[in-house]
Amino acid sequence: MTTATTKRTAVSSPGKVLLTGGYLVLDRKYTGLVFALDARIHVLVRDVEGGDGGGGRGVGDGANGGGNVEEDGRGNLDGAGNDTTTRIEVKSPQFQGAVWRYRVKGLGNGRGVEVDEVREGNERRGSAPTKPSTAPRNPFVQTALTYALNYTTIVLSSHSQPPSKLKPTSITILADNAYYSAPHPSSTSDTTSHHSNADAKPADDPTPSQPPYQHAQKPQPKYAQTRTEKDPQRFTNFNIPLSRAHKTGLGSSAALVTSLIAGILSHHLPTATFTLPQTNEPSPSTSTPSHPSARKDPSTLKRSKEILHNLAQTAHSAAQGKIGSGFDIASAVYGSCTYRRFSPSVLSNIPEPGEMNFATALREVVEAPASGGEPMESAGQLLEDDDAEADKDEAEGGSNEPGALWDQSIQTSAAKMPKGLRLVMCDVDAGSATPGMVRKVLIWRERNRAYADDLWDALQAVNDAFAEELAVGLDDDDEGGEELHRHPLRENFSQMQTLLTHMSAAADVPVLPPSQANLLEALTTDERMKDTVVGGVVPGAGGFDAVALVVKDTDSGAEGGESATSRLERYLDAEWNGVGAGAGAAEEGQRMVVRPLDVREDERGGCLREGAESVMYGGWI
């Protein structure tokens, strides 16, 4: 029997980099500056009809996006969460066997719905058999589905009588290429575990640590190529299991959770209840946007972003097992912003999924207003690495009262990369890993409170000055880079590095390791680069695995014939990426491989509705 697709929905959310505010953002007293990146996680949701109704056929293996979502005889899930069942298949076709299959069952009695993964051994649970998942369990996928579907069903039950029914659904996840990279052929490091992000490969993962692929992040000419919405090559088939992929630390778990939840809510809820800003990409058959944002009610758009933010923060915290500071979710929803974290007590009164009144309590928290009635997209600042933040399940300076209103502060207007400057993210393979950095820093802070608070206050002051200078940018007539030599941003970067070096020494934690400090110094003092690189930081929680640079934004067609990013790549290859090259091998004879990523600051504005029929998705569905 053929599959009939009745409805398709596509959304995307950006990755992130915490440029300033690492560690500080865990405390509500402080803020940080987070930039959304133009590497996005895309989610496509589609209804699937024509299942065989009696079971057995299931869906395809997911490798090429084919197959039928099979029903169990009843097929649709009652929006009221009554005792009915439907099926959901989630696949990430860029990776081998990355398919997860779930039964979604209404529990009744106010308990919402249960999202039960089909694994080997429970295929025949329920009224019909189905094929099991073919990938290891993914708590971010399952938790996002659980929270999104519980919220969706309880909202639908209050909007329609009889309640709407959720049909069997197929969900496709696609990641822009910059989220993954290949290890250097001669690197001896465990390249799948040296990043400390929350969704990285677990330490006990038995899969090999060196993926047999080269990351397709080097289009020719690199960086000069403009990424367009009609680029069919933007999603690489990595042809390895997901567990063997090397992540570049751009915040994939937060972008994934946000996109999954946004996709489900956009697909199932009425547009008068939930709607997102729409990409301006025309559909293939018309010259006008398929879903023009101009016809959408601004108040609904604003409220939808608030609901998405609150629900994604709740689900992401549940998937991590701890309440993080939330900067990565904030940037996935709103885009580049300044951010002050919410009080963890906001989430204190939500029962566990499946418990009595879970769905009702979830809705109450998600739809709770901001404290003081202020708009949620207001003023504030941000945070640090999404896995590092999970090491801290409570923060100071917030309300300790149960059921507190949402009190985070998010300001998008203050987080802009000015004309003449751009971000460059570099993936660093230094052969080192330091687990538990955040926990160690926080323990040090508790034991040395007065000194630590003075140091953090000084960092906040420097970070604030940096944000003010960043807004100024460069003079239009600075052709020769003379202004760059004396620009206040360079001094701001230097002050940050000095304070972070003090923190590293005091806490005995490599927040700013000497190898990274040497690299950043070389990039701003070497005659070949000092007219190009303004400065840089080790973003988020610090460590060995990344650097973020602010550089002069020059096109490949500018005088000299070479873009700033191409010049940077050539310099790194010559001075840092060869055996014994440059100062990169200075620490204990250890080599250091630095690779610029094909990613920069995002200007599209957080989570968006995409054109579901876009050619960029061709061949993946």
Side-chain angles (χ1 to χ4, degrees):
M1 183 176 294
T2 60
T3 301
T5 301
T6 58
K7 182 179 180 182
R8 289 185 178 182
T9 303
V11 301
S12 71
S13 300
K16 53 73 188 171
V17 58
L18 182 67
L19 201 60
T20 69
Y23 295 97
L24 276 66
V25 74
L26 291 172
D27 188 330
R28 277 182 45 78
K29 178 182 176 182
Y30 303 103
T31 63
L33 176 63
V34 60
F35 275 92
L37 301 173
D38 65 355
R40 287 177 166 258
I41 299 290
H42 297 248
V43 165
L44 294 88
V45 184
R46 62 189 179 100
D47 293 338
V48 181
E49 297 179 348
D52 58 5
R57 291 182 61 182
V59 297
D61 64 6
N64 296 309
N68 294 353
V69 174
E70 147 242 346
E71 304 177 26
D72 71 349
R74 287 171 289 189
N76 297 331
L77 180 66
D78 189 332
N82 294 322
D83 188 11
T84 56
T85 304
T86 193
R87 305 295 175 93
I88 292 180
E89 177 190 79
V90 181
K91 53 183 177 287
S92 182
Q94 292 167 277
F95 299 95
Q96 293 175 356
V99 181
W100 301 269
R101 298 185 176 98
Y102 303 93
R103 298 184 186 91
V104 184
K105 180 176 181 178
L107 299 175
N109 297 322
R111 293 182 296 157
V113 301
E114 174 186 62
V115 179
D116 180 37
E117 185 172 3
V118 182
R119 308 294 304 182
E120 287 189 13
N122 72 350
E123 300 96 323
R124 299 195 65 84
R125 185 181 299 169
S127 60
T130 187
K131 290 183 179 180
S133 298
T134 58
R137 293 184 185 275
N138 189 318
F140 292 95
V141 171
Q142 187 166 5
T143 305
L145 291 178
T146 298
Y147 280 71
L149 289 169
N150 271 279
Y151 180 79
T152 297
T153 54
I154 196 168
V155 169
L156 287 176
S157 70
S158 64
H159 277 70
S160 58
Q161 296 295 331
S164 303
K165 294 182 181 295
L166 304 186
K167 296 179 179 179
T169 305
S170 175
I171 298 175
T172 301
I173 301 167
L174 294 169
D176 280 341
N177 294 334
Y179 281 98
Y180 302 95
S181 69
H184 192 279
S186 59
S187 173
T188 58
S189 64
D190 181 351
T191 55
T192 57
S193 60
H194 82 265
H195 287 291
S196 58
N197 49 340
D199 48 351
K201 172 184 169 183
D204 58 353
D205 192 326
T207 56
S209 62
Q210 294 196 10
Y213 71 97
Q214 293 296 312
H215 176 28
Q217 65 182 34
K218 285 195 175 185
Q220 297 296 328
K222 189 177 180 184
Y223 298 110
Q225 175 174 317
T226 300
R227 176 180 292 149
T228 70
E229 293 304 311
K230 293 188 175 181
D231 178 7
Q233 303 301 320
R234 69 181 297 164
F235 307 118
T236 293
N237 185 345
F238 295 105
N239 199 32
I240 60 166
L242 181 58
S243 60
R244 295 173 62 190
H246 171 76
K247 295 187 176 182
T248 55
L250 303 185
S252 58
S253 70
L256 171 63
V257 167
T258 301
S259 288
L260 279 171
I261 292 174
I264 290 170
L265 269 57
S266 296
H267 192 74
H268 293 297
L269 294 180
T271 55
T273 301
F274 185 87
T275 190
L276 291 173
Q278 181 76 29
T279 182
N280 290 325
E281 181 195 10
S283 64
S285 59
T286 179
S287 59
T288 59
S290 53
H291 300 276
S293 295
R295 293 201 293 265
K296 295 183 178 179
D297 177 34
S299 63
T300 303
L301 287 168
K302 177 179 179 295
R303 184 58 179 154
S304 297
K305 282 285 186 104
E306 293 173 354
I307 289 171
L308 176 59
H309 171 271
N310 296 352
L311 186 54
Q313 292 283 18
T314 305
H316 197 240
S317 295
Q320 292 182 127
K322 294 183 179 181
I323 300 175
S325 49
F327 85 98
D328 44 2
I329 292 292
S331 60
V333 174
Y334 288 104
S336 300
C337 61
T338 59
Y339 176 86
R340 189 185 305 275
R341 70 158 302 153
F342 60 90
S343 298
S345 56
V346 172
L347 304 181
S348 62
N349 287 343
I350 302 178
E352 291 296 314
E355 292 183 357
M356 190 67 69
N357 297 322
F358 167 70
T360 301
L362 176 65
R363 184 181 186 183
E364 289 176 353
V365 168
V366 168
E367 296 182 356
S371 57
E374 296 178 357
M376 206 156 293
E377 189 173 354
S378 56
Q381 296 164 292
L382 44 101
L383 116 89
E384 50 150 56
D385 196 308
D386 56 333
D387 62 80
E389 69 191 33
D391 280 335
K392 178 73 169 174
D393 56 5
E394 58 184 41
E396 301 167 2
S399 169
N400 293 317
E401 295 298 321
L405 298 176
W406 290 93
D407 54 0
Q408 74 282 347
S409 180
I410 300 170
Q411 183 179 14
T412 59
S413 60
K416 306 289 185 183
M417 191 60 61
K419 180 181 179 182
L421 297 176
R422 62 158 292 182
L423 274 175
V424 173
M425 295 297 299
C426 295
D427 183 40
V428 180
D429 182 358
S432 298
T434 305
M437 288 175 55
V438 172
R439 188 171 298 279
K440 292 176 182 177
V441 168
L442 294 175
I443 291 173
W444 161 78
R445 186 188 181 208
E446 286 301 315
R447 294 174 177 173
N448 304 272
R449 195 58 183 232
Y451 174 74
D453 283 355
D454 286 345
L455 183 58
W456 285 26
D457 289 346
L459 267 170
Q460 182 69 61
V462 172
N463 294 345
D464 290 344
F466 171 82
E468 292 177 5
E469 292 296 342
L470 189 64
V472 175
L474 299 177
D475 290 339
D476 291 337
D477 59 355
D478 183 37
E479 297 292 339
E482 290 301 319
E483 184 193 355
L484 210 59
H485 300 170
R486 61 180 186 272
H487 199 285
L489 282 173
R490 184 160 283 179
E491 178 61 24
N492 294 146
F493 276 120
S494 178
Q495 292 172 347
M496 285 183 213
Q497 292 164 20
T498 298
L499 293 170
L500 291 173
T501 299
H502 288 326
M503 186 191 300
S504 296
D508 194 23
V509 173
V511 177
L512 178 58
S515 57
Q516 264 74 343
N518 291 341
L519 171 63
L520 294 174
E521 181 180 6
L523 288 171
T524 54
T525 59
D526 192 297
E527 289 294 331
R528 291 164 292 180
M529 296 305 300
K530 68 179 185 179
D531 293 339
T532 299
V533 178
V534 182
V537 296
V538 179
F544 293 92
D545 57 6
V547 293
L549 305 174
V550 175
V551 305
K552 192 172 182 179
D553 191 8
T554 56
D555 297 327
S556 59
E559 185 176 353
E562 185 178 26
S563 69
T565 45
S566 295
R567 186 182 310 167
L568 173 64
E569 182 177 18
R570 183 163 55 84
Y571 173 81
L572 291 171
D573 284 342
E575 296 298 320
W576 291 80
N577 293 344
V579 175
E587 272 193 275
E588 299 179 356
Q590 188 175 60
R591 69 169 302 160
M592 181 178 181
V593 180
V594 186
R595 306 182 192 90
L597 299 174
D598 186 18
V599 64
R600 63 179 296 164
E601 68 278 3
D602 182 75
E603 297 180 351
R604 299 178 66 195
C607 188
L608 297 171
R609 184 84 174 259
E610 302 279 3
E613 304 301 325
S614 170
V615 296
M616 68 179 168
Y617 302 135
W620 293 106
I621 304 175

